[in-house]
Amino acid sequence: MALPAGDMGLPTGKEKAMHGGFDRRQLLAGMGLLAATPLWAQRMPPKIRAFPFTLGVAAGDPDPTGFVIWTRLVPEPGEPLSGLEPFPYPLRWEVAEDEGFSRIAAAGETLARPELGFSAHVTVSGLRPERPYHYRFRSGDMLSATGRARTMPLAGADVRQVRLAVGGCQEYQGGLYTAWGDVAKADVDAIFHYGDYIYEGGPVASRMNWSTGQMESTVRLHDGPMIFSLDDYRRRYTLTRRDEDLQAAHASAAFLCSFDDHELVNNWVGDVDQAETPAEVFRLRRQAAMQAWYEFMPVRADALPVNGVSGPYRQYRFGRLLDARMLNTRNWRTDQPCGDKYGSFCPEVNRKDAEVLGRQQEEWLVKGLKADPARWNALLQQIMVMDLDRARAETKTINTDSWAAYAVPRDRLLDGLKGVPNLVVLTGDEHQHFAGEVRKTGEAPEAPARAIEFVTTSISSGSDGPGERKEHAAFLSRNPGLKYIRDERGYSLMTVTPDGWTADLKVVDSIRRTGGKVSTAASWRVPAGVARLERAG
């Protein structure tokens, strides 16, 4: 279930001064997100000239009584204001129990406001738990595509199975979104997007494929240079969201939307970027990027950024079977150590005042999971938790943009979660599939694992991979807790039952051409009661 704003790191009480004195409720009400001005009091905008629902529909942030439904009016993507006038546009929305919309469960009106790029977010409530619903929008006589989403079970419900798809890292230039087309057919309860929904760079005609060592042409190009402004970010999301496979995935199930770094710029944390931009200047770019992220994601109004700081960190509780906690590993993290140089190691890795989640989020996570654990407990987050040695020589090196570079908060978190049963970590970022065991820093391989981690490969970032790389065998040998690695594009399908957690690691044979085939590269199972990986199937 979604958390109230006070549990999301949003301003309350004494924190308001830190956010420029904004009163959150007044801000949201003023933007029409809590209570829209009656439509009869609005000056009606000119009639929309062309079909406006070119970016499709989406749902997200489900709870037992409903979910958020989203659309954005973009009748003419290449035109200023997408071919619209600077007025709020009224929309009708409907949620039904059947695809033919003969049994309407909820309906109403909303406004697509120019301040939010003509996006519409409707928080639907009053629905029945653990049921599929269909939804759509109407503008005049024009209907959107139909989307589908499930409400979540009640917190105490006896749930026998949960199916989650996991995907992210979808650089538009990297290749086609074939994996999302397959996700759309998977019939899952929800889809966790771990981040890197867009990438900030300009168009590149060709580049090195680091998996194969070969130069190759880019499959499709970004539509402009490096992005900085709100309009820039909006254009990049619009380009990305026009992909039909991505639209199909959004229409198939509710998304649990996170973000990582490329929604803003590579490897940013807090108010720091790799270019050493002055913090006060960087915060302007962060505000633009996070507003655009909010505008394009099916998320609740409490994710609206304040001074560039947004959630999410949220709880999604699937009855007594699964407590899934989605984390934010960017906003409150201290700067990467070792000059943020991948494949390095330095004393800063053991910095005592380092943070990844920030103390408020960390306390919420640990207290929440220990107070009322479900049968299975999951961390839905962005950067690898396993402490892997990335060296190709005798000296240990790490990924400085992973939890391995933050030894003190990493080990503190693992100590804090000790005793939480059946802990599984879902991660992205690495552009490869990984499956392995999580232990404290320096803990012996024979020590009981603290958790199991599944790292899902990219949808498109990195272009086609070879599957097995020649260095994988040495990598696995050097890291005995790591049980599997594969370099291809794809997604993961998680099936959770009382007896076990199964991860099907999906791969696409090529994203550089249409008609790529999706298959299951490997299936791994975690039996209930022990943090151990077993081959499945």
Side-chain angles (χ1 to χ4, degrees):
M1 59 188 295
L3 294 173
D7 285 332
M8 289 192 55
L10 298 174
T12 59
K14 70 175 185 178
E15 292 178 300
K16 289 178 184 175
M18 298 170 58
H19 292 272
F22 282 120
D23 182 287
R24 188 117 184 126
R25 187 170 184 84
Q26 290 179 359
L27 173 65
L28 297 180
M31 298 184 74
L33 296 174
L34 292 182
T37 304
L39 296 187
W40 56 263
Q42 299 287 329
R43 178 182 174 186
M44 296 304 292
K47 185 177 180 180
I48 299 176
R49 298 189 298 267
F51 182 70
F53 302 111
T54 56
L55 304 189
V57 297
D61 274 352
D63 67 18
T65 68
F67 36 74
V68 174
I69 59 174
W70 171 98
T71 194
R72 188 180 182 97
L73 302 182
V74 186
E76 299 177 59
E79 295 297 315
L81 295 182
S82 301
L84 302 172
E85 298 294 330
F87 298 99
Y89 282 77
L91 291 174
R92 178 79 179 170
W93 58 268
E94 297 175 311
V95 177
E97 295 179 354
D98 65 307
E99 195 169 6
F101 286 82
S102 63
R103 300 190 304 276
I104 300 296
E109 291 181 307
T110 190
L111 292 172
R113 294 186 176 275
E115 297 92 338
L116 294 175
F118 304 104
S119 62
H121 300 70
V122 177
T123 301
V124 182
S125 60
L127 306 181
R128 294 187 294 171
E130 207 172 356
R131 283 170 172 77
Y133 287 91
H134 303 268
Y135 62 92
R136 65 187 181 187
F137 292 86
R138 182 189 299 272
S139 173
D141 59 356
M142 293 178 286
L143 278 175
S144 72
T146 296
R148 182 180 184 274
R150 288 185 65 89
T151 52
M152 294 180 66
L154 295 170
D158 183 19
V159 178
R160 308 311 295 171
Q161 178 177 281
V162 172
R163 282 165 55 87
L164 299 175
V166 183
C169 287
Q170 55 187 52
E171 186 187 16
Y172 185 83
Q173 296 186 132
L176 305 179
Y177 292 167
T178 308
W180 281 132
D182 201 67
V183 169
K185 306 170 190 174
D187 190 21
V188 295
D189 295 289
I191 299 167
F192 169 46
H193 195 295
Y194 58 70
D196 289 348
Y197 197 98
I198 62 167
Y199 279 67
E200 73 280 11
V204 178
S206 63
R207 61 185 169 188
M208 175 73 74
N209 182 325
W210 296 107
S211 298
T212 63
Q214 302 295 316
M215 290 295 296
E216 60 185 27
S217 60
T218 305
V219 175
R220 51 187 183 178
L221 296 177
H222 282 158
D223 55 355
M226 174 76 74
I227 54 180
F228 290 91
S229 71
L230 176 57
D231 284 345
D232 291 342
Y233 283 103
R234 284 171 170 169
R235 282 193 294 270
R236 188 62 50 84
Y237 275 104
T238 297
L239 175 71
T240 301
R241 202 59 167 267
R242 292 178 72 183
D243 184 275
E244 292 182 359
D245 285 328
L246 179 57
Q247 288 191 21
H250 272 294
S252 71
F255 267 54
L256 315 181
C257 296
S258 185
F259 57 80
D260 196 16
D261 54 339
H262 289 289
E263 285 86 354
L264 203 169
V265 67
N266 184 56
N267 281 20
W268 75 275
V269 292
D271 55 9
V272 177
D273 69 357
Q274 290 180 313
E276 299 182 356
T277 305
E280 64 274 16
V281 176
F282 178 74
R283 285 192 288 267
L284 297 175
R285 185 180 186 186
R286 187 180 66 184
Q287 175 66 32
M290 294 315 303
Q291 178 175 336
W293 177 85
Y294 172 80
E295 289 179 1
F296 280 85
M297 296 298 112
V299 293
R300 293 175 184 260
D302 60 9
L304 189 76
V306 175
N307 291 345
V309 175
S310 171
Y313 60 89
R314 294 193 186 277
Q315 178 189 21
Y316 300 100
R317 180 89 185 208
F318 295 85
R320 296 198 298 269
L321 180 61
L322 173 63
D323 188 344
R325 302 278 176 135
M326 186 164 65
L327 306 181
N328 181 328
T329 60
R330 288 287 165 190
N331 276 134
W332 300 284
R333 195 184 341 164
T334 51
D335 197 8
Q336 291 95 340
C338 314
D340 193 15
K341 294 179 180 178
Y342 182 95
S344 59
F345 195 87
C346 66
E348 276 186 275
V349 169
N350 297 307
R351 179 178 159 185
K352 292 184 178 180
D353 63 345
E355 298 286 349
V356 175
L357 303 178
R359 293 303 180 98
Q360 181 176 323
Q361 182 180 189
E362 187 177 323
E363 182 178 354
W364 163 82
L365 174 63
V366 171
K367 284 188 175 180
L369 287 182
K370 297 199 81 166
D372 184 24
R375 175 69 167 173
W376 291 91
N377 299 278
L379 309 186
L380 280 55
Q381 50 100 63
Q382 299 78 37
I383 54 172
M384 185 184 284
V385 176
M386 287 183 285
D387 181 21
L388 298 186
D389 182 0
R390 311 278 176 149
R392 299 188 181 185
E394 294 183 3
T395 304
K396 178 179 180 178
T397 62
I398 59 173
N399 176 358
T400 52
D401 194 44
S402 75
W403 279 88
Y406 298 82
V408 172
R410 177 184 181 277
D411 290 348
R412 184 178 66 232
L413 179 63
L414 293 177
D415 280 339
L417 294 175
K418 187 175 182 180
V420 174
N422 299 317
L423 186 62
V424 175
V425 183
L426 303 183
T427 303
D429 183 58
E430 298 278 345
H431 303 178
Q432 297 185 81
H433 281 308
F434 292 80
E437 301 162 348
V438 178
R439 293 179 174 83
K440 287 182 64 177
T441 307
E443 215 165 25
E446 58 271 18
R450 304 297 183 104
I452 296 297
E453 183 170 20
F454 295 108
V455 179
T456 295
T457 192
S458 58
I459 293 288
S460 59
S461 302
S463 190
D464 285 338
E468 293 185 8
R469 289 160 55 172
K470 59 183 181 180
E471 63 266 31
H472 282 172
F475 196 88
L476 288 164
S477 176
R478 194 165 55 250
N479 294 281
L482 182 64
K483 305 304 179 184
Y484 183 78
I485 181 171
R486 188 174 183 89
D487 182 358
E488 281 168 292
R489 309 291 72 79
Y491 71 99
S492 293
L493 181 62
M494 308 293 169
T495 303
V496 187
T497 67
D499 294 333
W501 180 303
T502 301
D504 295 319
L505 307 182
K506 305 285 188 174
V507 297
V508 185
D509 63 355
S510 178
I511 59 168
R512 293 183 56 78
R513 54 175 173 80
T514 58
K517 304 300 181 184
V518 179
S519 62
T520 302
S523 294
W524 289 90
R525 184 175 185 274
V526 186
V530 57
R532 183 181 70 237
L533 277 166
E534 302 173 345
R535 281 280 193 170

